Amino acid sequence: SMAICERNLSPLQPETGDTLTAGLVWSPQVGNGDLSVTVDYWQIAIEDGISSLGVQFILDDCYVNQNSASCALVFRASDYSIDYVIDGGLNVADQGAKGVDSEVRYTWETGVGKFEAAVLWSHNLERTKTPFPGGSEIDLVGRYTDPTAQDGGAYPDDKANYSFKWFWNDLLLGYQGEYISGLDADT
């Protein structure tokens, strides 16, 4: 069976990054209730981000793309089977993310208690990764990536949470749901 070795191939440098966040909040009274609308734009850029490539990426990059740097991470046993793959922490060239988060919440009082309806929506405008200096930039929005990689996972275009609650004396009844847009998976 193949082993995964985690060790540093080169001395790690600190990550550096820039973050920008800007938002608006609007809170009018509408009818007999309170409305709250929040919109936030966020942008993150990381240089020399510490990550790992993931074993599948290393194997694909070596055998499909014939990248000698990735092939140097694959070690074979005497019978030429794969003995182990080095997948250690390293400074990737860069990572970037941009998005918009929004929330609409409405609360109102009635003769039978208080009601609250809310929708929280997050939209990814950009989620990129350059796995190593000189490598191609990978667009991760709308993708489910190798979960064995340090920053692998799901990056949907859109994600929304919605809820409806009824408060009456000490009673709380609620309904919550979640929507996640479709994802393409790495195979």
Side-chain angles (χ1 to χ4, degrees):
S1 75
M2 180 178 57
I4 300 169
C5 292
E6 298 242 0
R7 62 181 180 185
N8 292 333
L9 303 175
S10 62
L12 292 175
Q13 302 299 316
E15 294 179 324
T16 59
D18 294 315
T19 301
L20 169 68
T21 304
L24 299 170
V25 177
W26 182 48
S27 301
Q29 186 163 1
V30 177
N32 62 344
D34 295 315
L35 176 68
S36 173
V37 179
T38 304
V39 178
D40 292 312
Y41 170 81
W42 49 269
Q43 175 178 317
I44 302 167
I46 297 174
E47 295 179 0
D48 295 325
I50 298 171
S51 183
S52 63
L53 299 175
V55 172
Q56 190 62 57
F57 177 87
I58 293 169
L59 293 172
D60 289 346
D61 198 40
C62 174
Y63 294 104
V64 176
N65 301 329
Q66 297 183 355
N67 183 336
S68 61
S70 291
C71 291
L73 303 174
V74 180
F75 291 84
R76 296 188 171 276
S78 59
D79 64 356
Y80 296 104
S81 64
I82 295 175
D83 189 21
Y84 62 93
V85 176
I86 296 177
D87 185 27
L90 51 90
N91 291 103
V92 297
D94 65 61
Q95 297 179 28
K98 294 178 186 175
V100 177
D101 293 339
S102 305
E103 178 183 24
V104 177
R105 184 175 302 274
Y106 185 63
T107 306
W108 68 100
E109 297 279 348
T110 70
V112 292
K114 180 172 122 178
F115 292 89
E116 178 184 88
V119 176
L120 289 82
W121 171 55
S122 183
H123 178 67
N124 271 322
L125 297 169
E126 175 183 291
R127 181 66 166 92
T128 60
K129 174 182 176 180
T130 303
F132 49 84
S136 299
E137 182 177 81
I138 301 168
D139 182 12
L140 299 173
V141 174
R143 301 207 55 78
Y144 176 78
T145 62
D146 181 2
T148 64
Q150 183 175 356
D151 58 351
Y155 302 100
D157 286 299
D158 295 290
K159 184 176 179 181
N161 293 302
Y162 47 91
S163 64
F164 184 80
K165 297 177 183 173
W166 174 47
F167 303 88
W168 182 58
N169 295 327
D170 291 333
L171 176 67
L172 165 63
L173 292 177
Y175 173 80
Q176 295 180 332
E178 180 176 58
Y179 166 79
I180 300 173
S181 62
L183 297 167
D184 291 327
D186 292 341
T187 57

